[in-house]
Amino acid sequence: APEFTPPMPLLEGIAASAFARGHSCAQQSATVANPVPGANPDLLPHFLVEPEDVYIVKNKPVLLVCKAVPATQIFFKCNGEWVRQVDHVIERSTDGSSGLPTMEVRINVSRQQVEKVFGLEEYWCQCVAWSSSGTTKSQKAYIRIAYLRKNFEQEPLAKEVSLEQGIVLPCRPPEGIPPAEVEWLRNEDLVDPSLDPNVYITREHSLVVRQARLADTANYTCVAKNIVARRRSASAAVIVYVDGSWSPWSKWSACGLDCTHWRSRECSDPAPRNGGEECQGADLDTRNCTTDLCVHTASGPEDVALYVGLIAVAVCLVLLLLVLILVYCRKKEGLDSDVADSSILTSGFQPVSIKPSKADNPHLLTIQPDLSTTTTTYQGSLCPRQDGPSPKFQLTNGHLLSPLGGGRHTLHHSSPTSEAEEFVSRLSTQNYFRSLPRGTSNMTYGTFNFLGGRLMIPNTGISLLIPPDAIPRGKIYEIYLTLHKPEDVRLPLAGCQTLLSPIVSCGPPGVLLTRPVILAMDHCGEPSPDSWSLRLKKQSCEGSWEDVLHLGEEAPSNLYYCQLEASACYVFTEQLGRFALVGEALSVAAAKRLKLLLFAPVACTSLEYNIRVYCLHDTHDALKEVVQLEKQLGGQLIQEPRVLHFKDSYHNLRLSIHDVPSSLWQSKLLVSYQEIPFYHIWNGTQQYLHCTFTLERVSPSTSDLACKLWVWQVEGDGQSFNINFNITKDTRFAELLALESEGGVPALVGPSAFKIPFLIRQKIISSLDPPCNRGADWRTLAQKLHLDSHLSFFASKPSPTAMILNLWEARHFPNGNLSQLAAAVAGLGQPDAGLFTVSEAEC
């Protein structure tokens, strides 16, 4: 649309006004009248309504209104430019008292218009009204985009103060327009200084308590709010304690038969409270009497004999104890010298006989594996121990298949110690592997060739599938799979990003792969395309992290692809390395699944009883770490685990305990609830997040505990645990977290690593890869397996059917139902009746 040009009277008025101001270009912020020479100044327009300063909240446009009398025309000018005529909404009327023409004009200003103004200049609008006597400009109205940052510039911190000491809790609210107003909450109740003269709020928004009272023990939260949002700081627990002080001494007692008398005092003036220090010194004082009735006599010969006898018995006991210790140590040394690990002599790979392919079917490789012996287990540490003269490194005999003529292969064996030292020396020369964990619980590795195989870290949901022909023929790779602790690997997270999966390495990086391998790992996100932006991150050899895949925007030609399911993801990759799944919330509906676990001691030998509440990612690896930790601490599960959906609402997680029977137990919690800050959970890199509730038994005989424990996110999801059990003999929940082995050994090599027999797999591939007009090809198989959303990725590979079968293997091992897969393939209507059978000769 062409730019709006004001009518000639308006231009003349503007020119006269500019000349009268000495050609000044400065805009006036107040109403300015510009009469036409010789005109009646009483008929100049004056404004009944002028535009006022306003804030744009989110994306909602704002309305500006002008109304003037008498007025024949009114137009808006914003930042020195006239607003188009079509954007004005005009209402004309006549003033009832004077009969003069009245005009009201309205315009909308959008967020996009304001954002176009760059630099330090603010966006402003004013209206110009004119009549036959001249023009009048209204005051300027400034339009600003309202916001409130999420992070407080300074949050209050927990404090412990003595009675009557002053308390200062600082708070600097997040930056915002308009500036945020600040208020304080004490245990969720509003702090009103007008009702409590002992409390006031400074201009810098700090909360000040002049003299601390016991009633001031509470959780304090700073709240910042403006027209856009309301933000809460992390709560600060303030504990007001009282140090104990002695009461006056009592009077001396009468002199006793032992020629002593005593006096006492109590630590009750005042008694210690809320963790205050106990009184120092003795509460009982005794002295010898000086009355005539007390006669002191020297000890007789009988007393000397008694003392000598006691000393002799003590010396004998000490000598006997020393003898027992020496005997035990010698027996232990003898046992150690006789113990030998025989696994290294009995384990190892067995020969695999490979027959030449048949002349009538040359594209198939016929294999006769010994399924009972082709599986191997790799165990032991990557680093040989340095605390002895001859380091021990336990590793099963590896096999090296060297291709020979005539379709034969030779099996080679080598020394376990030499293989281990060689493997470690190769790893130690590469900086990339310096952070690998030195233990078997979080790492597995094996030697693989073109037959493929599988690596698994038990009880973590993490595995690596190496399909057949992923490794070039003639190549042999030593491949490892590692689970990292988040605190050991620096993964930078920007903005609202959160870690959703474990950090997993597979390597060595840089090896040549001719087919994608599949890395499987759990995640704790609630997958929803409208709530999350999910990215797969990979660490380069230089140490920097890069986004290699944006889920939902995959390109078929990409080196990476991901099948995302409700609680797991399967990553196709042709390059090994270190990976992690990261999410960024697109709305407050984005949620992470938290597993809530309650642990307590198996045996309680004191009056105190601790209940530990863990809040961890709902993944197998996080569960495994906590279960292993609690085994070391001597803990047991006391309630069935629950899942809580933790949302990106910037609200903290709270935990509280209720209905504790006061006649049997006392809670040592000094505040109404405990709190875990939002960012500690949402970041996803902190392990073992938990709170401890300490209860104290009134009597050592108390063994029954009944109470309620609540865990909830403020303004979000919550869970309630009804605890009712006997702390000395109730173990009904102990079996719920028994760690079971996933599919046996962590390293599987060759055909035993796959559910689908090799020959049947080859027949399915050769039958379904060629396109079929009747639809009986790999596309229909993908639809039957609910994988039709990945058709473009499958089609980009040399064998789409092989990709589908590889993904089926990764998803369903070791408990996959092979009969269901066979039924899905058979349902495609292939004419070859022998597609799913293998002859005895072929086996």
Side-chain angles (χ1 to χ4, degrees):
E3 292 294 331
F4 165 68
T5 302
M8 187 57 65
L10 176 59
L11 293 176
E12 293 174 353
I14 294 174
S17 174
F19 179 80
R21 292 185 307 233
H23 304 280
S24 172
C25 294
Q27 297 288 341
Q28 303 295 320
S29 60
T31 303
V32 177
N34 300 308
V36 176
N40 185 358
D42 294 335
L43 294 180
L44 281 171
H46 67 275
F47 287 97
L48 303 177
V49 178
E50 293 186 74
E52 297 180 350
D53 294 347
V54 68
Y55 295 97
I56 294 178
V57 178
K58 297 182 179 179
N59 294 318
K60 186 178 180 181
V62 295
L63 181 68
L64 298 181
V65 180
C66 266
K67 186 175 182 180
V69 62
T72 57
Q73 286 180 334
I74 298 178
F75 289 96
F76 273 91
K77 176 187 283 187
C78 294
N79 274 56
E81 296 183 1
W82 293 104
V83 179
R84 297 185 308 172
Q85 186 172 7
V86 295
D87 294 333
H88 292 72
V89 177
I90 302 173
E91 291 185 6
R92 299 178 183 273
S93 61
T94 303
D95 185 68
S97 59
S98 63
L100 296 175
T102 303
M103 179 177 289
E104 181 178 322
V105 177
R106 298 185 297 274
I107 64 169
N108 284 319
V109 179
S110 67
R111 184 188 184 103
Q112 291 76 14
Q113 292 174 262
V114 177
E115 289 177 341
K116 288 181 181 179
V117 178
F118 298 99
L120 300 177
E121 185 179 6
E122 292 188 292
Y123 193 91
W124 56 267
C125 291
Q126 69 177 167
C127 51
V128 181
W130 59 106
S131 65
S132 59
S133 297
T135 62
T136 305
K137 292 182 180 179
S138 72
Q139 65 181 9
K140 284 184 179 179
Y142 288 90
I143 299 94
R144 302 176 178 90
I145 297 176
Y147 67 92
L148 185 61
R149 303 285 185 202
K150 295 179 179 179
N151 298 331
F152 279 74
E153 296 183 4
Q154 184 179 13
E155 292 185 297
L157 300 177
K159 289 180 179 292
E160 293 186 3
V161 298
S162 62
L163 191 68
E164 297 184 354
Q165 181 183 344
I167 304 173
V168 179
L169 296 177
C171 176
R172 292 171 59 192
E175 177 189 350
I177 294 179
E181 298 178 357
V182 172
E183 61 186 19
W184 284 86
L185 302 180
R186 178 197 287 128
N187 286 345
E188 300 304 310
D189 295 329
L190 182 65
V191 176
D192 189 353
S194 64
L195 302 178
D196 187 355
N198 193 41
V199 176
Y200 69 93
I201 300 174
T202 68
R203 293 183 179 179
E204 294 77 23
H205 310 298
S206 298
L207 179 66
V208 178
V209 180
R210 293 184 172 89
Q211 290 185 322
R213 303 155 297 189
L214 289 176
D216 293 321
T217 298
N219 287 311
Y220 289 85
T221 308
C222 181
V223 179
K225 60 181 180 180
N226 65 4
I227 59 176
V228 178
R230 185 174 185 265
R231 311 287 189 206
R232 295 168 56 99
S233 72
S235 294
V238 174
I239 298 176
V240 181
Y241 62 86
V242 178
D243 291 334
S245 181
W246 291 111
S247 65
W249 287 101
S250 64
K251 294 182 179 181
W252 288 100
S253 66
C255 191
L257 296 177
D258 57 350
C259 295
T260 61
H261 61 171
W262 55 270
R263 63 176 180 173
S264 63
R265 59 180 178 175
E266 295 181 350
C267 186
S268 59
D269 191 21
R273 298 188 62 178
N274 293 353
E277 292 185 359
E278 296 285 343
C279 299
Q280 301 297 319
D283 60 352
L284 187 66
D285 183 19
T286 60
R287 291 183 182 178
N288 292 330
C289 297
T290 58
T291 62
D292 296 336
L293 296 178
C294 290
V295 178
H296 299 280
T297 60
S299 299
E302 296 82 1
D303 295 335
V304 175
L306 176 62
Y307 294 148
V308 172
L310 291 176
I311 294 174
V313 171
V315 171
C316 292
L317 290 176
V318 171
L319 292 176
L320 178 61
L321 180 61
L322 291 175
V323 171
L324 292 176
I325 293 175
L326 289 175
V327 171
Y328 172 76
C329 291
R330 290 191 176 183
K331 286 186 177 181
K332 186 175 185 299
E333 290 178 359
L335 289 175
D336 290 343
S337 62
D338 294 336
V339 175
D341 187 359
S342 62
S343 63
I344 194 169
L345 304 176
T346 58
S347 60
F349 287 94
Q350 302 298 325
V352 180
S353 63
I354 301 181
K355 300 179 180 179
S357 59
K358 294 186 178 182
D360 57 344
N361 201 358
H363 64 282
L364 293 182
L365 177 64
T366 305
I367 297 181
Q368 184 180 2
D370 184 354
L371 298 182
S372 65
T373 59
T374 56
T375 300
T376 182
T377 304
Y378 288 91
Q379 295 178 343
S381 172
L382 271 178
C383 275
R385 295 180 58 183
Q386 305 296 331
D387 55 353
S390 57
K392 295 182 180 180
F393 189 99
Q394 299 176 5
L395 179 68
T396 59
N397 289 340
H399 76 293
L400 302 177
L401 292 176
S402 302
L404 300 175
R408 296 182 180 179
H409 291 74
T410 303
L411 181 67
H412 299 281
H413 290 272
S414 59
S415 169
T417 304
S418 63
E419 283 188 6
E421 292 175 351
E422 181 185 357
F423 185 40
V424 172
S425 65
R426 284 197 300 272
L427 292 185
S428 62
T429 58
Q430 304 183 46
N431 294 334
Y432 188 84
F433 307 114
R434 287 179 180 172
S435 62
L436 291 179
R438 305 303 190 189
T440 59
S441 62
N442 287 331
M443 182 181 183
T444 181
Y445 52 95
T447 304
F448 301 91
N449 63 1
F450 73 95
L451 294 176
R454 185 189 306 265
L455 290 173
M456 294 173 291
I457 302 178
N459 304 305
T460 64
I462 299 171
S463 65
L464 181 70
L465 180 75
I466 308 168
D469 290 324
I471 298 176
R473 293 179 180 252
K475 298 284 187 181
I476 297 175
Y477 295 156
E478 289 171 319
I479 297 179
Y480 65 85
L481 181 65
T482 303
L483 167 64
H484 298 275
K485 293 184 178 180
E487 60 266 26
D488 295 337
V489 178
R490 180 173 176 80
L491 174 61
L493 298 175
C496 301
Q497 288 184 337
T498 177
L499 181 63
L500 296 177
S501 75
I503 302 176
V504 180
S505 290
C506 53
V511 297
L512 174 64
L513 297 175
T514 56
R515 300 283 189 276
V517 298
I518 301 179
L519 175 64
M521 53 187 178
D522 288 350
H523 70 83
C524 62
E526 282 293 308
S528 171
D530 299 329
S531 302
W532 285 105
S533 173
L534 301 176
R535 299 177 187 272
L536 180 70
K537 286 184 175 288
K538 180 176 182 289
Q539 189 176 26
S540 66
C541 292
E542 292 77 17
S544 60
W545 286 86
E546 302 170 349
D547 293 340
V548 295
L549 183 64
H550 188 183
L551 274 65
E553 300 180 5
E554 301 94 338
S557 59
N558 203 326
L559 293 175
Y560 310 92
Y561 204 82
C562 183
Q563 159 75 5
L564 186 69
E565 299 188 353
S567 59
C569 59
Y570 301 89
V571 178
F572 291 81
T573 175
E574 297 181 26
Q575 294 184 354
L576 303 183
R578 185 173 293 168
F579 298 92
L581 183 66
V582 171
E584 183 172 2
L586 300 178
S587 69
V588 293
K592 296 173 65 173
R593 296 189 314 277
L594 298 184
K595 180 84 77 176
L596 305 179
L597 302 172
L598 272 62
F599 282 91
V602 174
C604 183
T605 58
S606 65
L607 293 179
E608 286 190 353
Y609 189 74
N610 294 323
I611 299 177
R612 293 180 291 275
V613 186
Y614 289 88
C615 307
L616 56 138
H617 284 177
D618 186 18
T619 57
H620 286 87
D621 63 287
L623 179 62
K624 175 184 176 181
E625 293 291 333
V626 169
V627 171
Q628 292 178 341
L629 174 65
E630 280 295 327
K631 283 185 176 180
Q632 298 174 5
L633 297 176
Q636 67 169 337
L637 190 71
I638 62 171
Q639 279 288 297
E640 187 173 348
R642 304 278 182 86
V643 173
L644 181 142
H645 293 84
F646 191 79
K647 293 187 176 181
D648 182 21
S649 62
Y650 298 94
H651 289 300
N652 299 336
L653 189 71
R654 292 182 177 173
L655 305 92
S656 61
I657 192 167
H658 304 272
D659 299 341
V660 179
S662 57
S663 60
L664 301 175
W665 297 85
Q666 290 182 354
S667 173
K668 288 197 170 184
L669 186 65
L670 299 178
V671 292
S672 58
Y673 57 84
Q674 299 189 64
E675 200 165 49
I676 301 178
F678 169 83
Y679 288 102
H680 290 186
I681 298 175
W682 193 256
N683 182 266
T685 59
Q686 298 195 30
Q687 286 190 312
Y688 312 134
L689 283 176
H690 72 281
C691 287
T692 300
F693 291 92
T694 301
L695 304 177
E696 186 175 15
R697 291 184 286 180
V698 175
S699 168
S701 62
T702 301
S703 58
D704 291 325
L705 174 61
C707 60
K708 293 181 180 179
L709 200 148
W710 295 348
V711 184
W712 77 100
Q713 185 182 16
V714 179
E715 301 182 11
D717 191 17
Q719 290 288 359
S720 174
F721 295 88
N722 292 320
I723 301 174
N724 189 356
F725 76 112
N726 188 293
I727 67 172
T728 59
K729 53 187 177 181
D730 198 340
T731 60
R732 52 185 157 160
F733 299 103
E735 300 299 324
L736 292 178
L737 296 183
L739 298 180
E740 299 178 356
S741 178
E742 297 174 335
V745 295
L748 298 173
V749 179
S752 61
F754 306 96
K755 294 283 292 184
I756 307 173
F758 185 82
L759 291 178
I760 293 181
R761 170 189 169 91
Q762 294 298 97
K763 284 191 175 185
I764 295 175
I765 292 173
S766 60
S767 299
L768 299 185
D769 270 352
C772 180
N773 294 332
R774 295 179 293 102
D777 58 13
W778 62 270
R779 295 174 180 83
T780 308
L781 177 61
Q783 293 175 356
K784 285 180 173 290
L785 298 179
H786 307 290
L787 301 175
D788 45 322
S789 60
H790 308 309
L791 293 181
S792 58
F793 170 71
F794 296 145
S796 67
K797 301 304 175 183
S799 175
T801 309
M803 294 295 103
I804 296 174
L805 297 181
N806 293 343
L807 181 56
W808 187 91
E809 290 276 6
R811 297 169 67 194
H812 296 91
F813 190 87
N815 302 317
N817 191 330
L818 200 57
S819 300
Q820 292 181 356
L821 176 64
V825 178
L828 300 181
Q830 281 284 348
D832 185 2
L835 180 61
F836 311 105
T837 60
V838 179
S839 66
E840 184 177 354
E842 290 176 320
C843 290

